[in-house]
Amino acid sequence: MDSLPDAILQCILSHICNARDVACCNCVSKRWKESMIYIKTLYFPRNSLENTSAGESPEEVVKRMVSTVVRLEHLTVYSPFSSSGLASWLSLVGLSLSQLELRLDNLAEEQSYHHQQSPSKLECIGAARNLKCLKLWGVLMPRFPKWDVFENLRTLEMVGVRLEESALIAVLQSCPYLRRFVLLGCEGVRTISIDLPYLEECKLDFYGLGNCSLTLTSSKIVSLEVQGCSWIRVPESQHLRNLSISNSAGRVYMVEFGNLPALEFLSMRGVQWCWDAICKILKLASEVKHLFMKVEFTGNFEALQPFPEVDFVDFFNSHPHLRKFDIHGAMFAALCQKNSLKHVDPGFLIPCLEEVVITVRSPLNAEQKMNTLESMLKYGKNLRTMVIKILQMKSTHNSADDFFDEVCRFRYMNHRIVRIE
């Protein structure tokens, strides 16, 4: 092993990051042990420090290993640790770190957090002021950490978070140059305002009643995913290419975006959306290429209402670049109303549609639904795939069976394009 060329040895070591593997490599040979100081990444899995040598605590093991590295760039710790342990590690390697990932697991420590005199785990992170990427799991933030500005931080991800609005505002003010911001499983926030001029990708998921309010201001935003908001405002959206809005617990009342000329993918999910919000976002998304719609009901108040009629021709004329269309239940039913295919011009085509996935939940209006399926085939000259997903239908008569027979016949006649799932 000592005869390996330096380039090969360095290549091997560059793929070793697990703390246990690093420790094992120290035993290979003297040359390998001496070369371990040049590794760039250390990863401590959840249970990696359970069986440490006598007289040495898990935190001391981490400290010993990070202290032997000349320039550590990536540090990931999923095993339990204290704020004093973290502070000791970052005092050694904080300035060289570009990526730090920690499983804080302090959501269960809320009571002790308020009486804590020493710096919290979050405050200790401030010592790694050259970070480019920070990922945190299990975050409790009742007050904002005393951070200076992270000049180089481009990615911030927090998963499983309980915090107050003022703390979130302070955190974002400490990271003014973020390109990517991820906040998942967030509790304690009702109103969030994000003003990050360089932000390109944002993913937000709020726990609770689904009644949060979001305002996002960034002229560079390219991708936005939001779950759990009733009011969404994004005034500068001219570069937005991917947009996903869902609300599984509440209803979507208002969406306010600027122009969406670059939008390629749009996903709309939820139990209930106000019809004005649906119409507004569909009108703005005229250039969309992939549209996913799984909204069950509409209605401006508590009462759940079905979708009103949607004109088949107007819909596809308003989205001429649509290539893939995932359509579920309510929207498909809206396109299958009695008058939806009443005004079809002789030259009408669906020019770009290549794939359509349709989920059918009811045998009602079976004739109109079959007409709509046939029309998609007839006018979608470039259609290559049609997938029909039929959910279990509750019916006391033979209408469900008859409808399924019609769909099977339709599939048999167009077997090269149509399939049933």
Side-chain angles (χ1 to χ4, degrees):
M1 300 300 285
D2 283 337
S3 62
L4 282 175
D6 289 342
I8 295 178
L9 177 57
Q10 294 300 323
C11 180
I12 293 173
L13 296 181
S14 68
H15 290 84
I16 299 174
C17 61
N18 189 294
R20 289 187 179 275
D21 296 337
V22 171
C24 291
C25 287
N26 285 326
C27 305
V28 173
S29 70
K30 181 180 178 181
R31 182 173 173 231
W32 276 54
K33 183 176 181 178
E34 293 173 347
S35 299
M36 294 311 295
I37 64 174
Y38 299 111
I39 63 173
K40 303 293 185 182
T41 302
L42 272 177
Y43 166 54
F44 295 87
R46 182 69 174 169
N47 301 317
S48 60
L49 302 175
E50 286 186 348
N51 300 313
T52 57
S53 59
E56 193 174 30
S57 69
E59 292 181 353
E60 289 173 341
V61 173
V62 178
K63 184 177 181 180
R64 173 169 54 82
M65 295 190 71
V66 300
S67 65
T68 60
V69 180
V70 173
R71 184 177 177 81
L72 189 66
E73 296 180 358
H74 296 179
L75 176 62
T76 300
V77 183
Y78 287 166
S79 57
F81 60 88
S82 65
S83 58
S84 59
L86 179 61
S88 67
W89 311 335
L90 296 184
S91 67
L92 297 170
V93 298
L95 295 181
S96 66
L97 285 178
S98 62
Q99 179 169 325
L100 178 62
E101 185 168 352
L102 301 172
R103 191 181 184 105
L104 299 179
D105 279 348
N106 59 358
L107 285 176
E109 305 170 5
E110 182 169 7
Q111 192 170 8
S112 61
Y113 192 104
H114 291 283
H115 300 91
Q116 189 173 357
Q117 300 298 322
S118 60
S120 66
K121 295 176 185 178
L122 286 168
E123 290 172 338
C124 294
I125 294 172
R129 58 176 179 268
N130 294 320
L131 286 175
K132 295 180 180 178
C133 177
L134 175 60
K135 299 181 180 181
L136 304 173
W137 300 74
V139 182
L140 173 65
M141 197 184 299
R143 63 176 186 270
F144 59 86
K146 298 176 182 178
W147 287 347
D148 292 328
V149 173
F150 288 96
E151 299 283 351
N152 300 318
L153 194 63
R154 300 295 182 265
T155 297
L156 174 60
E157 298 184 11
M158 296 190 291
V159 180
V161 186
R162 186 182 302 152
L163 78 173
E164 296 182 358
E165 296 164 15
S166 58
L168 180 58
I169 292 172
V171 167
L172 295 180
Q173 288 175 345
S174 300
C175 315
Y177 304 108
L178 283 181
R179 302 291 194 273
R180 172 179 165 85
F181 178 49
V182 176
L183 184 66
L184 302 181
C186 180
E187 298 179 67
V189 176
R190 285 286 303 275
T191 302
I192 178 173
S193 180
I194 299 174
D195 190 352
L196 295 169
Y198 302 99
L199 190 66
E200 297 175 358
E201 185 177 352
C202 186
K203 189 173 182 179
L204 307 170
D205 174 25
F206 299 100
Y207 279 165
L209 302 176
N211 56 352
C212 294
S213 173
L214 168 68
T215 300
L216 188 151
T217 304
S218 173
S219 60
K220 297 183 180 294
I221 190 70
V222 172
S223 177
L224 175 61
E225 297 181 39
V226 183
Q227 203 296 123
C229 282
S230 289
W231 296 269
I232 302 170
R233 183 175 181 270
V234 185
E236 299 180 75
S237 54
Q238 63 271 22
H239 299 298
L240 195 61
R241 292 201 298 265
N242 301 292
L243 175 60
S244 177
I245 302 173
S246 63
N247 196 332
S248 57
R251 60 183 60 84
V252 177
Y253 284 109
M254 191 247 342
V255 289
E256 185 176 325
F257 287 79
N259 293 326
L260 296 170
L263 192 66
E264 297 180 358
F265 172 76
L266 172 62
S267 174
M268 304 166 62
R269 300 170 183 257
V271 176
Q272 184 180 12
W273 281 49
C274 291
W275 187 244
D276 286 345
I278 294 175
C279 292
K280 183 179 292 186
I281 199 69
L282 287 178
K283 183 177 180 180
L284 289 171
S286 58
E287 303 297 316
V288 72
K289 295 179 175 63
H290 181 182
L291 177 59
F292 184 100
M293 287 194 67
K294 190 179 180 181
V295 180
E296 305 297 337
F297 300 97
T298 185
N300 295 329
F301 303 102
E302 296 291 335
L304 301 176
Q305 299 178 358
F307 281 23
E309 181 177 300
V310 176
D311 188 273
F312 183 91
V313 175
D314 286 347
F315 177 83
F316 284 105
N317 280 339
S318 300
H319 303 89
H321 304 291
L322 191 61
R323 294 179 182 176
K324 183 175 181 180
F325 190 16
D326 287 87
I327 178 173
H328 290 244
M331 185 62 182
F332 180 61
L335 285 169
C336 298
Q337 297 300 312
K338 185 176 181 180
N339 297 318
S340 295
L341 288 164
K342 191 173 183 179
H343 307 289
V344 181
D345 296 329
F348 170 70
L349 289 175
I350 306 174
C352 299
L353 190 64
E354 298 176 356
E355 181 178 353
V356 60
V357 180
I358 302 166
T359 301
V360 185
R361 303 184 61 179
S362 168
L364 297 176
N365 299 323
E367 183 179 352
Q368 284 85 0
K369 288 178 179 177
M370 293 308 304
N371 287 339
T372 301
L373 294 175
E374 292 168 357
S375 296
M376 286 185 180
L377 275 182
K378 178 180 179 181
Y379 300 111
K381 297 300 183 182
N382 292 312
L383 190 63
R384 296 195 298 241
T385 303
M386 176 184 286
V387 179
I388 304 174
K389 298 181 178 180
I390 301 179
L391 303 184
Q392 185 174 2
M393 299 179 181
K394 296 181 180 180
S395 179
T396 57
H397 47 79
N398 295 328
S399 60
D401 294 336
D402 294 342
F403 176 65
F404 185 72
D405 290 343
E406 288 296 321
V407 173
C408 290
R409 189 177 297 110
F410 176 72
R411 183 262 174 198
Y412 177 79
M413 298 297 294
N414 304 279
H415 63 275
R416 294 185 178 180
I417 297 176
V418 181
R419 72 174 188 267
I420 300 173
E421 294 184 356

